Structures are given as structure tokens and as C-alpha cells.
Amino acid sequence: MNLARWKKTGMSLLAGALMAGGLLLPAADSHADPNATIRVALFADIGSKYKSTVPFVTLSSTTGFSLMSGSAQLLPIPANNKIRVSLDGYKVKVMDSPTWQAAAEAAKKLQSTSDKPMLFVASRNGATVYQLYTGPYTSESAAKEGLNRVSKAGLTLAEGQAPALVGSKHLSAGSFATQEEADAVAGTITAAGFDAWKTLVSGSDGSAQVEVWVGEAANDSDLAALRTAVTAGLPQLAVSAGAAATPGMMIRTDAGLDWSSESQAFHYQVSGTGAKFIVSGNSAGIQLAERSKRVYRGNLELSALSGSLAVINEVPLEQYLYAVVGGEVSSGWPEEALKAQAVAARSYALSQGNRFDVANVVDTTLSQVYYGIGAEAPTITKAVDATAGEVLMSGGKIVEAVFSSNSGGVTADPSEVWGNGGATFVSVASAEDSAAAASKKWYYLLLDSGVSGYAREDNIQLTGGKTAAGLAIATASTKDVNIRPLPVVESSASPLGKLNPGENAVVLDQFYENGSYSWVKGPYTSAELLKSLSGKVSNSLPSSISSLQVSQRGPSGRVTQVKANGEILQVKYPDLFRSAFGGLPSTLFDIVPAGSYTVLGANGSTAAVNSSQSAGILSASGKGTAGGSGTVVMGADASSRVVTASSGFYFIGWGNGHGLGMSQWGVKGMADKGYDYKRILQHYFNNVTINKE
């Protein structure tokens, strides 16, 4: 734990690219296409590859945009108007209510459950009716489970009403030349007690047409029963079952934008086999409220995938990079650092192919951080434009240029991460990672009360005195200095004690504040570790962890093997140790037991002494005995620690992210020293060229 390893204090973390499934894919054969677009999955259920879903999305823009079917404009959306879009799937129709308030109260009860409410408003014989649903669900069986839960939710329903399972099978009452004609037919149908909606479809000639769809059956049997009922109730109306397979955008009115007061917006439901619609992009971008209100360039594709609504952003590659580079690093970094990030991000994006089936990449660190227009900045745009089309090449292929926030002073070897990567990735020194550091250090102190913990250096002053072992003595420079459990201020963690001026404490060690360059985590108890390890290792776990040690490291010093109670913890690949131990920033770490220490005998043998034991020692003054809890142990590097009564384990580490390829903070540090972006990239990626097509 000596200070030489802990170079400087960490600043805010920057997310680095993490690989899907933890494995590098073969790079694409093609060169960069400067006119390329890229497909980014925002919401989609792509099985084990990626899953992020919502029941609906809320879209708006400061400039008008359009809903499209292929090249046909179905509907123009005026500027500053909100619309909602959902998938016309399996739902539970909870209730019809004559008042918004009654429906909203029921919706509020359902909000905290897994059965998410949607509220629509309709008209019946000139009267308004509010229709509350939950869903949509991915399958009929899932909807039946939802129906069972909703039925037991204790909702107050009108006499004769009961929640019912509904679905996406509809009857068609025909196609109409005008909206007015469709409104008239829909009104006739609803007056007879059936639900009906205008639906936008694309005609055979590519023009937009309006149909009227009737009912919402969950299966073919229900659809046949619905047709019989409609035919009996409205014998003059010709209906067909063709709507079940026709792609359409059903038009409804949403009354659930705000559960505290009624507000309304158009709600469009994507329906029909193979339905796919486009929200056309504009110069201002489209805001997606359910994605943290981010605004996106390009088009948004809306479709059904695995029973859920899929939202894919198709955007010009270079414009995508404006947001990616801005999301990955600070716009205030040196220009050469921004250029290096732009080339790496472009190379990574173009190497992905159709990795996510319906998309090339996703918008999280599973691919690259993508926050939309809000992440853009003039300096970022300049760097992307200056490197337009440039990619890293090796062996005639675009390099999958992975990167992480901070490599902690040395980048990873492929064998330490996912076990593959090829000759492009080798472990290299990255001393410039210390660019992530701030100026403040923390003292690790032992108080007279026996409490040990951390205090920031600007609240502490050295007295000039030393203990018999040569450890410095310090006191507080201000009143009531908090002694923290870790070298960082965390509002959720109470101070362990306080130190005041005139009260002495022993300085055991010095650390830099927890950040992306260095960190201390823990202590984690046996129970906490076992919970975190569960499902992450392939072998059986012990009932309790009494010892935990790093038993093997890779070329860069990263952990590749750990033993618990002397048994190897089997993981699929080494980088999984990060999640296996509760989300550690990196695998470049040491494990320090809080309640024990290891004694090295003269014959080379070792023995562990826990906090409840004592050990015989030989010192300059002769033979003696060292106690357990409260014992100060000094290492060969002169760093010291206190053995506590706790049986937990500390993880002391460096870096943030997988560490493979480019280190973003190292890039900044090299740029600060005057290196250009090409030299920086060729430092982190082995045997590559930078090509522009």
C-alpha cells in the first residue's frame, strides 16, 4: 500500500467501452465508409445480447417531424407536440370509467407493480370514457399472469366490470378516403358498444390511407367471437379479419401523461405482422423522454421485437460520433486526445457488423456511451470532422478499438480480460493515466481510541514526532475532523470517529482519493462476498469465506486467479472478477484481510494470524508476543495497517474498466505532453495504421 503505487487522486469516472459477452469479435473486412449510417438500439429485447424495454415511448421535437411507413408520410407531427408510441400487443383491459380521476386513482395503485398502466380516452355516443390498461405483455401467457395480478390488486371497479385479457387481433371495417368518413364509421361502431379506432396504413401505391379497426382480441377464437358479435349488432357493416396481419399505426388518445392532473396526447400503436414505422429526423432532433429526455439526430425506427417495442436510432456515422466522443470523454480535453477518441470510436463502431441483429451497436457501455445531441460540443465536432473517415487498420481489417476509462498505469494483456484479442492488443505502460488524479491525498490514521480510518490531508498536519517504529504522528488542523472508512467522502457512510487539534494519531499510510486511477473498496464480509459470487463462478462456494487471496496474475499484474479458503474460484474469463466481487472498478487489485495478517518465518514458511490470536515474535529487544485485534503490522515497503476485529476483506486497486486497448485518461495525459493523436493510438494499439478512405 505504499504511496509510490498511488500516484494521484482520481477524478470523476468516465465510462469505457465494455464488450458484449466479454469477447472480441473478428473485425470487419471493409474500409471506412464516410457516408455510412449506423443503427443504434435504444430499446429492444435481443435476448442474451441486450435487453432494455419500456411499455411506450414519448416523443417530441422543437421542429415538426413525421411518422412514416417506408417512403410514405402517414402523419405530420407539429413542433412541440408530444406523442406516445407503444406496441399493440397483449394487454389487460382493467376498467372503463366515466371520470379521469377514478381511472387515475386505479392507475396509481398499479404504478408500483410490474403491471404498468396506460390510460386512453375514447368517445361513446358523445360521452367520454376513460379506458385503463396494463401491459403490453410479451406473450398471451404473460398477459394471463398479469390479469391474475391485476384482479387481486384491490381496485375499485364499477358493477359488472372485471379485468379482461385483450390482444392485437382486430377486425377491419374498411378503408376510407377521408378522416371524416372514418370518424363517422368509427362513431357508429362505438355507439353499438364496440371499441374502434382509426388506423393509418400504407397503401399499395405508397400513399397513406386510413382504415377503421374494431376490437382487440387476444387469439383467433376471440376474434371469431368478436366478428359474430359485430355482425349481429351491426348487420349493415361489412367487416373482415384482414387487420390482424396488416401493418398499421392505430390512433388513440393518451390521458396518462401526468397522473396528478389530466393531460392528453395522441398515442399511436404499432400493429400488424412485420410492422415497422419511422419517425423522420430533423435539424433539431427528436427527444425521447424515456431515455432520460435525450435528443437524437437521425431517424427513429419503431417495430416489434420479441413481443416488445423496439426503438432503433439510424443516424449518420459521423453525427453518431459527435455524441459518442462527447459521452466518453470531456469536451475540455486537448484536441489530440479528442481526435484519438474519435478514431478509436469510429473504428470500434465500423467493426461491429450486425452484432445486435437489428442494430450495429447499443447506446450503453456494452458498446459505446451514446447520449445524443446533448453530449455534443464544438471541440468534439471539430475533432470528429478533422479525422473524418479515419480508422485503425491491421492486416487489412478495421480494428475493434476497445478502450476503457483508466488502465491504472499499465494496459491489460488479452489473456487477463476475455482471453482473446489477437496481436493488436498487448500490455503497454500507461504512466499518463495519472492525468486522472487530483491533488488531494488522504492519511490512513490510527487514533488513540483504537479507531483507524482516513482523513484528507488538508485537515491534518504532521507534528514532527514519530513512534518508536518510525511512523509519523499527526494531529487535526481544524475542529472535529471526520475519520472516514474509505479515502473518500460518502454521504451514505457515517464517520468512524473524529480528531481534534491537540489529539494525536499515528500515520500508517497515505492514499489518493478513490477515483478512476486508484481506489479502496470494502471491507466486504463473507456473506456479502458469497452473495456477489453466487452465479458468477462455476464451482461450488464454501459456506463461509475465511481466507481470500490472489493466486495468479497476468503480464500486467491483473488478477487472473483467486482462491477462497484455498480453493480456486472458477470464472469464465478473468474480467468477470470485477462483477464477481461486487462491481470492482478493475482487476488490477490486491486483497487485504481486515482481521488477520501473515507472518513469514525464517525458514520461508508462512502462517496467518487472525484478530483473536497472538503470535510470538523476535525483535531487537528479544522475544515477545504480538496480539491480534489492534496490532499494527508494517510491511516491507514501510506501509502499515491495523488488524481489526472484522473478518472482512479490503480490495485495493488501480484503474477503471477492463484495461484492454486504449486508456482514455492515458490518452489525455499523452496529449497534455504534446503527443499527436496518431502517435497516441499507435502506442496503445500494436502494429496498426491509420487509414482514411
Side-chain angles (χ1 to χ4, degrees):
M1 288 190 291
N2 65 41
L3 186 58
R5 189 67 192 269
W6 298 74
K7 297 181 181 179
K8 294 188 179 179
T9 308
M11 293 170 65
S12 61
L13 302 182
L14 293 179
L18 303 179
M19 310 309 300
L23 298 173
L24 290 168
L25 290 183
D29 290 329
S30 62
H31 291 255
D33 179 1
N35 299 313
T37 59
I38 189 166
R39 290 172 60 82
V40 188
L42 305 179
F43 292 111
D45 182 355
I46 316 175
S48 61
K49 294 182 179 181
Y50 178 75
K51 185 174 182 178
S52 178
T53 60
V54 287
F56 52 76
V57 291
T58 309
L59 308 174
S60 63
S61 177
T62 57
T63 302
F65 60 96
S66 297
L67 286 177
M68 311 284 292
S69 176
S71 60
Q73 183 191 55
L74 296 182
L75 193 71
I77 308 298
N80 301 311
N81 276 28
K82 288 183 179 180
I83 66 167
R84 273 192 171 165
V85 180
S86 65
L87 181 65
D88 178 30
Y90 296 101
K91 298 177 289 294
V92 172
K93 188 173 184 181
V94 181
M95 63 185 296
D96 282 354
S97 171
T99 68
W100 179 88
Q101 191 64 42
E105 289 300 319
K108 290 175 185 177
K109 290 183 179 181
L110 295 168
Q111 260 192 309
S112 60
T113 71
S114 58
D115 302 287
K116 300 305 179 186
M118 290 190 293
L119 183 59
F120 299 108
V121 59
S123 178
R124 292 275 176 84
N125 288 326
T128 298
V129 60
Y130 295 91
Q131 301 177 316
L132 180 64
Y133 294 77
T134 60
Y137 301 92
T138 57
S139 65
E140 186 173 0
S141 61
K144 287 179 179 178
E145 293 173 1
L147 174 61
N148 185 51
R149 289 190 298 268
V150 171
S151 299
K152 297 177 180 179
L155 304 178
T156 301
L157 304 178
E159 185 176 352
Q161 286 198 36
L165 175 64
V166 297
S168 59
K169 293 182 178 294
H170 314 283
L171 300 174
S172 174
S175 179
F176 301 89
T178 67
Q179 295 269 0
E180 290 74 17
E181 289 178 347
D183 283 332
V185 171
T188 300
I189 297 169
T190 57
F194 301 100
D195 288 321
W197 307 274
K198 290 185 298 183
T199 301
L200 299 172
V201 300
S202 178
S204 58
D205 61 353
S207 64
Q209 296 183 0
V210 59
E211 295 185 358
V212 173
W213 288 3
V214 185
E216 42 191 350
N219 50 56
D220 289 337
S221 176
D222 289 349
L223 185 64
L226 172 66
R227 186 172 187 175
T228 298
V230 171
T231 301
L234 294 165
Q236 77 280 16
L237 186 68
V239 294
S240 69
T246 301
M249 190 75 86
M250 297 170 60
I251 304 174
R252 305 187 75 162
T253 302
D254 197 306
L257 272 69
D258 182 349
W259 297 118
S260 60
S261 61
E262 182 178 357
S263 58
Q264 297 183 1
F266 282 112
H267 188 129
Y268 303 95
Q269 292 190 299
V270 176
S271 184
T273 304
K276 183 181 295 184
F277 298 94
I278 302 296
V279 175
S280 63
N282 57 35
S283 59
I286 309 297
Q287 184 191 80
L288 205 171
E290 288 70 27
R291 213 57 167 168
S292 302
K293 296 184 178 180
R294 293 172 187 155
V295 179
Y296 296 96
R297 295 180 182 271
N299 298 333
L300 297 179
E301 179 186 282
L302 309 168
S303 65
L305 183 66
S306 301
S308 298
L309 179 69
V311 182
I312 309 296
N313 182 203
E314 187 165 11
V315 60
L317 174 63
E318 299 299 311
Q319 294 181 9
Y320 162 77
L321 294 173
Y322 294 161
V324 166
V325 176
E328 287 285 354
V329 297
S330 169
S331 61
W333 279 13
E335 182 178 2
E336 296 304 304
L338 301 181
K339 288 180 181 178
Q341 182 66 58
V343 175
R346 184 182 294 109
S347 303
Y348 178 86
L350 286 171
S351 72
Q352 297 306 289
N354 291 323
R355 181 174 217 155
F356 295 93
D357 301 337
V358 295
N360 309 113
V361 294
V362 298
D363 67 336
T364 70
T365 55
L366 195 60
S367 293
Q368 303 182 110
V369 169
Y370 176 56
Y371 292 156
I373 290 176
E376 297 178 10
T379 54
I380 301 291
T381 302
K382 180 181 177 183
V384 173
D385 290 347
T387 63
E390 291 186 0
V391 292
L392 289 166
M393 302 288 294
S394 180
K397 298 179 180 180
I398 298 175
V399 172
E400 187 179 17
V402 297
F403 48 86
S404 61
S405 173
N406 194 305
S407 70
V410 59
T411 67
D413 184 84
S415 64
E416 301 169 311
V417 186
W418 304 302
N420 66 337
T424 303
F425 301 93
V426 295
S427 177
V428 298
S430 186
E432 291 79 11
D433 286 328
S434 59
S439 59
K440 300 300 182 185
K441 296 188 290 288
W442 289 64
Y443 287 111
Y444 177 40
L445 303 173
L446 174 61
L447 277 56
D448 288 342
S449 63
V451 169
S452 61
Y454 301 84
R456 207 169 65 185
E457 63 175 350
D458 53 351
N459 294 319
I460 298 296
Q461 62 183 28
L462 300 178
T463 66
K466 292 184 180 294
T467 67
L471 298 175
I473 296 175
T475 189
S477 59
T478 187
K479 186 179 179 182
D480 289 334
V481 173
N482 288 320
I483 305 301
R484 302 283 181 178
L486 295 174
V488 66
V489 177
E490 292 181 321
S491 58
S492 60
S494 300
L496 302 175
K498 293 183 181 294
L499 184 67
N500 282 290
E503 298 173 351
N504 288 339
V506 178
V507 178
L508 301 175
D509 208 342
Q510 294 182 53
F511 292 82
Y512 287 94
E513 186 166 282
N514 275 5
S516 69
Y517 182 59
S518 61
W519 43 269
V520 181
K521 301 290 184 182
Y524 298 122
T525 65
S526 170
E528 289 171 331
L529 289 171
L530 288 170
K531 181 179 180 181
S532 178
L533 287 165
S534 179
K536 308 286 181 26
V537 298
S538 58
N539 54 329
S540 59
L541 292 169
S543 58
S544 177
I545 297 177
S546 57
S547 69
L548 193 67
Q549 63 187 52
V550 175
S551 50
Q552 183 176 289
R553 296 183 185 273
S556 76
R558 282 170 171 77
V559 173
T560 56
Q561 187 183 93
V562 176
K563 289 183 178 180
N565 299 351
E567 296 294 325
I568 296 173
L569 295 173
Q570 302 285 355
V571 294
K572 187 175 181 180
Y573 47 85
D575 195 59
L576 272 180
F577 280 123
R578 286 197 288 156
S579 60
F581 289 124
L584 296 180
S586 80
T587 57
L588 189 59
F589 61 77
D590 295 328
I591 301 174
V592 177
S596 65
Y597 61 95
T598 301
V599 177
L600 176 65
N603 63 355
S605 63
T606 60
V609 181
N610 64 39
S611 59
S612 63
Q613 297 174 313
S614 60
I617 60 172
L618 179 62
S619 67
S621 58
K623 293 182 178 181
T625 301
S629 180
T631 299
V632 176
V633 181
M634 181 179 289
D637 59 4
S639 63
S640 304
R641 66 182 180 90
V642 178
V643 179
T644 69
S646 168
S647 59
F649 299 88
Y650 286 97
F651 291 80
I652 301 173
W654 300 266
N656 180 58
H658 52 70
L660 191 65
M662 190 177 78
S663 173
Q664 291 169 311
W665 276 103
V667 167
K668 180 190 182 299
M670 291 185 72
D672 285 337
K673 290 183 176 181
Y675 290 96
D676 69 24
Y677 74 100
K678 293 184 178 181
R679 177 67 186 87
I680 292 170
L681 289 166
Q682 289 170 331
H683 171 74
Y684 284 108
F685 299 101
N686 185 48
N687 194 29
V688 297
T689 59
I690 299 172
N691 291 13
K692 181 172 183 176
E693 295 300 311

